Amino acid sequence: MALLRAATPGDFGPVLETDRVLLRAPQMSDYPAWAELRAASQDFLVPWEPLWAPDELSRASFRRRIRHYLRDMREDMGYALFVYDAQSTALVGGITLCNVRRGVTQSCTLGYWVGEAYARQGYITAAVRAVVPFVFDSLELHRLEAACLPTNTASMRLLERVGFKKEGLARRYLRINGDWRDHLLYALLETDQRVPGNGG
């Protein structure tokens, strides 16, 4: 079970803790660890992500990213969280809750990434499990959506392990690594059975 606590004065945004992972909003002080992990994982990440900009890993690009995250959080449009190993405090990846829609929809979209050295070790499964109560209990949303490439079996298994249901195929849904690609659509509702687990 995730523990949600208020941010300290030096932080912003939610802090989610489990025995396995700690999630908190990115800050400028995270730049060296983020840049190192992303650089070491570039070949691993590029096939699954939007096209990287020429200055993707620069400090200026990271600063713009932080400003974007802050604005989205202030306006209740999105929440970005870095994922850390709860024991070693090493940065292992990230989770985004974007496109928060209120009104009659009450939903948002889940995204995630993991550094290559930490892949298939249960970190992102644990992080997604930790973020689900935040989405439904704290943000009071009704629906959490996710999409993945049909070739990304690891992501499909992760979503299904946490309790997401496959809802269909969206043609040329997202532009990944420069090309419009079909995606499988998944969703978890606040009324769905939440799948417990230790994040493995």
Side-chain angles (χ1 to χ4, degrees):
M1 180 173 204
L3 171 67
L4 172 63
R5 62 180 171 83
T8 64
D11 295 332
F12 53 88
V15 177
L16 309 175
E17 291 182 86
T18 73
D19 291 343
R20 188 76 195 279
V21 292
L22 182 143
L23 287 73
R24 67 162 174 78
Q27 302 172 44
M28 274 310 298
S29 58
D30 297 315
Y31 171 72
W34 174 85
E36 181 179 353
L37 183 60
R38 297 281 294 179
S41 306
Q42 183 170 357
D43 292 343
F44 175 73
L45 294 171
V46 159
W48 315 109
E49 295 190 346
L51 195 64
W52 284 31
D55 69 340
E56 183 78 18
L57 300 179
S58 71
R59 184 176 292 273
S61 175
F62 188 73
R63 186 175 291 110
R64 289 192 299 272
R65 187 181 296 261
I66 295 292
R67 281 199 298 263
H68 173 80
Y69 291 158
L70 273 171
R71 186 195 69 225
D72 278 0
M73 188 183 64
R74 277 195 309 266
E75 297 176 5
D76 188 37
M77 293 171 54
Y79 298 82
L81 300 165
F82 277 178
V83 180
Y84 297 86
D85 181 297
Q87 306 306 315
S88 71
T89 70
L91 175 65
V92 301
I95 292 259
T96 54
L97 300 169
C98 62
N99 196 21
V100 174
R101 302 178 299 284
R102 295 293 181 176
V104 297
T105 304
Q106 296 294 329
S107 65
C108 72
T109 302
L110 170 72
Y112 43 80
W113 65 273
V114 65
E116 184 172 15
Y118 304 101
R120 294 178 176 83
Q121 296 178 39
Y123 287 109
I124 301 304
T125 301
V128 172
R129 283 189 171 127
V131 90
V132 165
F134 173 69
V135 168
F136 293 137
D137 302 337
S138 296
L139 297 182
E140 299 182 337
L141 295 175
H142 166 69
R143 177 180 172 89
L144 180 57
E145 300 172 343
C148 67
L149 291 167
T151 54
N152 192 343
T153 54
S155 194
M156 286 187 276
R157 287 177 186 146
L158 185 161
L159 293 169
E160 290 167 4
R161 195 160 49 236
V162 173
F164 281 73
K165 305 291 187 238
K166 189 189 302 181
E167 295 190 333
L169 177 75
R171 296 175 302 144
R172 295 168 59 83
Y173 182 64
L174 296 174
R175 197 170 185 187
I176 300 298
N177 198 23
D179 295 317
W180 289 104
R181 304 283 301 277
D182 296 349
H183 279 69
L184 293 171
L185 302 181
Y186 285 82
L188 183 68
L189 306 182
E190 66 172 327
T191 51
D192 285 341
Q193 179 71 38
R194 298 187 195 176
V195 179
N198 59 10

